[in-house]
Amino acid sequence: MLTEFLTDTKVAAWLWLTLSCSTLFAVRLILARRVSRPDDYSGTRAFTPVEFAEMTIARYRLSTCVAVGGRQNKFDPKTDTVHLTHDVANRRDSRAYATVSHELGHAIRFHDRRLLTVLYAKLGLWAPAAALTVAALSLAARVFDVEALVYLSKWTGTAALQAAASSVTLGISTTAATTLFAIVASDEWRTSFPLALTLMEQAGVFSEDDIVICRSSLKAAATTYLLPFSILPAFVIALWPL
């Protein structure tokens, strides 16, 4: 009975999607806690992560500024500013320096006008997220028959629901999401390896243990950008007819 139930490609796609999304959120939560956990070498550096950022910016002769505050660690290409949370700015442990190095890597690549970085800066994360959302809605319309969603027709119209459930909509949105996430994941990975590690090695003040911890932290963070690709097979499965 269960075997027959799982042979339905739409049901299989929906189950895969649910599992992938759950895994994505769980892994991001675990990695967030891992990255925020202080290491055994915290408090032994002669300079703060902010000072490390300013030293690196001066060494590369960038016009980038460093701002402390806010809820995210990020590089904003519009203002040419590296934003650091108070936690990262004041923590003198390897993972904090790795975070700073990663954001500085974005700044360096942006100033070098690297194609992937420029595209990432123009698109942001909202573009691939929007494409993935459209693909998810289209998949939902295919998993659940359009008739089951007909009560929404007074807002969207039946024709709109049928269009959302079409293979064309699903195919285009899936392709767009895959392409956009590929740009994001590639730039994030290239920024971490080898650039962020190179910045720390060039500083000449971090030990072998520091570099090992930073490599592990950067790899964990970069991997989270590859996880959306585990969701996309669900949309491909849903493209096939029953």
Side-chain angles (χ1 to χ4, degrees), residues 179-194:
T179 303
L180 292 170
F181 270 116
I183 292 173
V184 171
S186 178
D187 184 65
E188 289 288 344
W189 194 269
R190 290 170 185 267
T191 300
S192 292
F193 306 102

Side-chain angles (χ1 to χ4, degrees), residues 99-191:
T99 299
V100 173
S101 294
H102 179 81
E103 301 309 330
L104 289 172
H106 281 302
I108 292 171
R109 285 176 59 83
F110 182 76
H111 280 273
D112 287 344
R113 308 304 294 175
R114 298 298 179 91
L115 178 60
L116 289 177
T117 305
V118 173
L119 287 174
Y120 187 9
K122 296 290 185 182
L123 296 171
L125 279 175
W126 69 266
L132 187 61
T133 300
V134 172
L137 292 174
S138 181
L139 177 61
R142 287 173 65 82
V143 170
F144 301 109
D145 291 335
V146 172
E147 290 79 5
L149 301 176
V150 75
Y151 69 93
L152 293 174
S153 61
K154 62 180 179 180
W155 292 289
T156 62
T158 304
L161 289 174
Q162 292 174 341
S166 69
S167 296
V168 174
T169 301
L170 184 57
I172 292 175
S173 57
T174 301
T175 302
T178 303
T179 303
L180 292 170
F181 270 116
I183 292 173
V184 171
S186 178
D187 184 65
E188 289 288 344
W189 194 269
R190 290 170 185 267
T191 300

